[in-house]
Amino acid sequence: MKHAFESRILCPQTRICLPREVKNVYGGVDAPEHLLTRDEQTCTLRFDGDTAPKVVFDLGAASTGGYPVFKVRSFHGENPVLRLAYSDWYDYILEEPYGEQGDCKRGVLKYLGVELPVLPGDPNRYNLFTITHAGEYISPLVQGQERFLMLKLDTPGCEVEIEYVYIYYTSDMTSYDGGFTCSDENLNKLWYASVWTCQLATIDNARSWDVLNGTLLLRALTKGKDAGFYKNGMDLTDYSVECDFAIAYNPQMASGFGILLRARTLDDGYAVFFNLDQTVQAYKRENGFYTLLAQGPAALTDNAWYHASVTAQDDLFTVSLDHTPVLTFRDGTYPTGSFGFCQTTEKWALARCLRVTENKKVFFKDDFISREALAQYEFTRSAPFVSDGAKRDRLPWIGDLDWAGRNIYYAFRSFDAMKESLRMFAFHQTPDGFIWGTCYPENTRKPSDYGYYESDIFSAWFVPTLADHLLFTNDRAFAAEMYPAVQKDIEYLWRFVGSDGLFNQRYATSKGLWDHALNDMGKFAYNNLIVSEAIGEAAYIAGILEKTADAEEWTRRKNKMREAIRRYLTAPEGYLVKSTDNRDFCEMANSLALSICYFSDKKDARAALDVLLDRTPGHGKITALMIRGAYQYGFDEEAYRTLLQPGYRYVVEQTDFVVYDALENPNFDFASHRMHPANWIKALQDPRGPMTTWECMTYPPLKEGKGEAWGDRSHPDTAIAHVLTGFQLGVLPQKPGFETFSFCPHVYGLTHAEGVIPSPFGDIEASWHLKNGAMTVDIRVNDEKRLACLAVQTTDAQSVCLTVNGHKRTVKQIQDTWVLA
């Protein structure tokens, strides 16, 4: 069955991602189609008129992200400059003049005091390269996600002949263990787009050094060390370091390249910088503090290759550029120490052919052929992690991770990035138990404050996310490792639950889910629901780990809070209100309540769902919870129709211009146009955008434009593969790791579904077909006892035939539901 799914996988089979199609050509561009392959045919850009030559390529629906790479065959003219610009949406790359900087300018991504994307993500959505030589050019920074690539020659009177251009994909490439198909091809595309988004947003290269094509890519990380050095060179005294280097252009500051000498730690030693402001500088580094020792001139151009050498002899240091001495200095602070490289956060560079000699003999050399060889150096690196978006955030966010995980578990048997993400958050726990909402993966300092997003809501999400990981993977050892963090988090949250049983949100940690102001104080339904859910999930974890006393105490606390929520935060109609002071309907609280089966009375669940359907929340993340909840309560038609068209009760067909008109007119009445901004299916059908799930699934896209399209179309928290496999196919774990599972397909709107569910206890293959009132169900599993529950609720089937491993099993009908006999 697995082979039937392979053709649908969006993850590239090679990291070299070439353009798929030529979209637009302007000015003097010859044979741009030759850049769709690497067959040694070339494309030429010639700026000999009034129009700058440029071509826009479609990189394909998968919209990969990574290092931009191109190769120049020849060039003519004085200092030609080639521009590469990137966009995840077609309209933005065409917009004059902003498209030449990609879909957004640097600075518009500043968010909550943190500039996004974070290094090694490129803060710019374009690169400039002065063409100085024939051969390959590489950007040492990652462009996180782009479907469209602009190639443009900026300099009149010049010509550049290009042999190839591609994006070297840097995110996850885990092989699929699971898969899904059904009778609706749009939902099939959504399943694979959802899982692919999780992979694209899984960052495996948050390190200050990387290797590509025999080149060392050098940059510093925001919370990392500037320097890196060879581990086994601590006893060196007098030696020479030489290598080839090129400096990447930084539009905002003068970039540069740094060599490190006589370093004992990452915070000390001597650093020599070659800079694009035409200087060479020598510094002494003490505890990370830089003291300038000497400075001289150096004529340097970006992306040109130079040969650098620095010799240390006693207290005398000689610096040469292309074999010509350009600087000397004296200092005796560090008589011994290792060698390496040093980059600050705004200096980006490349190096090749490192060679170190001692007493005229080669002590060490490195041609940077493989990433594995980097293990011999000490520099800032992090574990892999699942980020909140490949283009913009490139940081893990605990309040979004659970959505991503539920998709990952249905596609992969093992996905270390989820574990490592949870480890990062457990590390970022304050002494009083609060867990940060987001963190820099490379950070190694334990926190003492509440971080960049001071949110008790997000702190609470750590526990349900860990509980889901335990439920789907049965990784009890990891749950036990995380258990102390769970205990501290629960005790922290419980401190703010009053005698009335309600969590009272205080000012210091009051940032809400979509409210980035410190103003969300009081007793809120959503806050109380997620805190009580965290306590309940902590009890679940404790039970699995046989921590009986904790499980009993946390169950008591959860029950006390749930009773208080029913008493103080519930409307007479049965749904949840915003707070004790605001009796308005709360979209987020009611969506979450449905998804966790909070409502004990189906009538209350129906009341909450009806209001949500009438209002239709404006974010895919909330809508995904609502859909999950609707399926769990048996409201299959509502779940299915919302999945296909959120707001189906009132949304009519319309064009992007409705959204655009709204932005031009501040008095535009959205309600009168009956429009809704989230739609998975239409978003994936639109060839102007990527085949990924988006931030909030906003569609049609708002006309952000003017270089400020900072939204991210690679967000795993709106991925929805888990809904398709878990409910439409119908396989959900009962015991951790699917040791036992339920099969409860929700068949409304479909005629068949099939899939493979990876499990540490052995894969589960399941399928169902419905034709002419007869339903056939087939399950293949290594132990038939693992099928613990069957419930097929449908009025469309007059008969159900169940086979498990080819053996027919008896079923019976109880009202509208078929169950195991």
Side-chain angles (χ1 to χ4, degrees), residues 59 68 81 90 92 293 339 365 485 517 519 562 564 618 659 696 786:
L59 294 167
V81 174
Y90 185 54
Y92 304 139
L293 299 177
F339 55 87
K365 62 179 182 179
N519 62 2
R562 292 293 170 85
V659 184
C696 305
R786 291 176 60 192

Side-chain angles (χ1 to χ4, degrees), residues 60-204:
S63 63
T64 52
Y67 297 116
V69 181
F70 65 93
K71 185 177 181 181
V72 171
R73 174 76 62 83
S74 65
F75 63 97
H76 303 281
E78 185 176 355
N79 298 323
V81 174
L82 197 68
R83 175 186 298 266
L84 276 67
Y86 318 90
S87 178
D88 55 11
W89 189 261
Y90 185 54
D91 295 2
Y92 304 139
I93 201 75
L94 299 181
E95 188 177 18
E96 296 286 356
Y98 307 101
E100 293 187 358
Q101 294 189 38
D103 47 25
C104 56
K105 298 173 290 187
R106 183 174 184 178
V108 300
L109 303 186
K110 190 170 183 178
Y111 183 67
L112 303 177
V114 177
E115 185 186 17
L116 300 175
V118 299
L119 294 164
D122 196 327
N124 301 288
R125 289 289 278 174
Y126 72 103
N127 300 116
L128 297 177
F129 299 84
T130 299
I131 304 304
T132 61
H133 61 281
E136 196 168 70
Y137 291 73
I138 303 173
S139 170
L141 298 180
V142 172
Q143 291 291 341
Q145 180 199 28
E146 54 274 343
R147 176 163 185 175
F148 299 98
L149 165 67
M150 175 192 291
L151 200 62
K152 176 177 176 285
L153 181 59
D154 276 3
T155 42
C158 293
E159 176 182 307
V160 177
E161 183 187 16
I162 303 171
E163 189 170 320
Y164 56 74
V165 61
Y166 63 83
I167 299 296
Y168 185 85
Y169 175 62
T170 55
S171 293
D172 180 75
M173 292 184 75
T174 302
S175 298
Y176 284 46
D177 301 302
F180 171 88
T181 60
C182 70
S183 53
D184 189 323
E185 186 58 27
N186 284 322
L187 296 181
N188 296 335
K189 291 179 180 178
L190 178 54
W191 195 96
Y192 290 93
S194 294
V195 176
W196 160 238
T197 307
C198 296
Q199 291 183 282
L200 181 60
T202 297
I203 309 301
D204 68 350

Side-chain angles (χ1 to χ4, degrees), residues 14 69 76 115 161 268-269 271 346 398 401 427 430 483 534 631 669 699 744 789 814:
T14 173
V69 181
H76 303 281
E115 185 186 17
E161 183 187 16
D268 63 23
E346 298 289 348
I398 191 59
L401 202 58
F427 178 83
T430 63
Y483 194 73
Y631 272 128
D669 183 3
Y699 187 86
C744 305
C789 173
I814 302 177

Side-chain angles (χ1 to χ4, degrees), residues 576-626:
L576 297 174
V577 298
K578 286 191 174 181
S579 71
T580 54
D581 298 323
N582 185 338
R583 310 306 288 179
D584 291 343
F585 180 87
C586 181
E587 292 180 353
M588 189 64 190
N590 284 281
S591 296
L592 178 62
L594 287 168
S595 73
I596 62 176
C597 295
Y598 161 80
F599 299 108
S600 56
D601 190 327
K602 192 173 181 178
K603 292 181 180 179
D604 294 340
R606 177 83 246 186
L609 180 61
D610 280 339
V611 179
L612 286 167
L613 291 172
D614 287 339
R615 299 164 66 112
T616 307
H619 298 282
K621 185 173 180 177
I622 303 178
T623 307
L625 293 176
M626 182 182 76

Side-chain angles (χ1 to χ4, degrees), residues 28-67:
V29 180
D30 297 336
E33 67 278 4
H34 289 168
L35 298 186
L36 304 182
T37 62
R38 294 181 68 187
D39 58 3
E40 298 187 357
Q41 297 187 84
T42 61
C43 164
T44 300
L45 281 71
R46 185 179 303 104
F47 198 158
D48 55 6
D50 295 331
T51 301
K54 66 180 178 181
V55 56
V56 176
F57 293 101
D58 185 346
L59 294 167
S63 63
T64 52
Y67 297 116

Side-chain angles (χ1 to χ4, degrees), residues 456-457 459-465 467 486 489-490 493 527-541 554 558 562 596:
D456 286 334
I457 293 171
S459 182
W461 266 110
F462 173 80
V463 184
T465 306
V486 171
D489 193 26
I490 295 304
L493 295 168
N527 300 45
N528 272 272
L529 199 60
I530 186 57
V531 169
S532 65
E533 178 67 5
I535 295 173
E537 292 289 65
Y540 167 77
I541 296 170
W554 290 338
K558 172 189 174 181
R562 292 293 170 85
I596 62 176

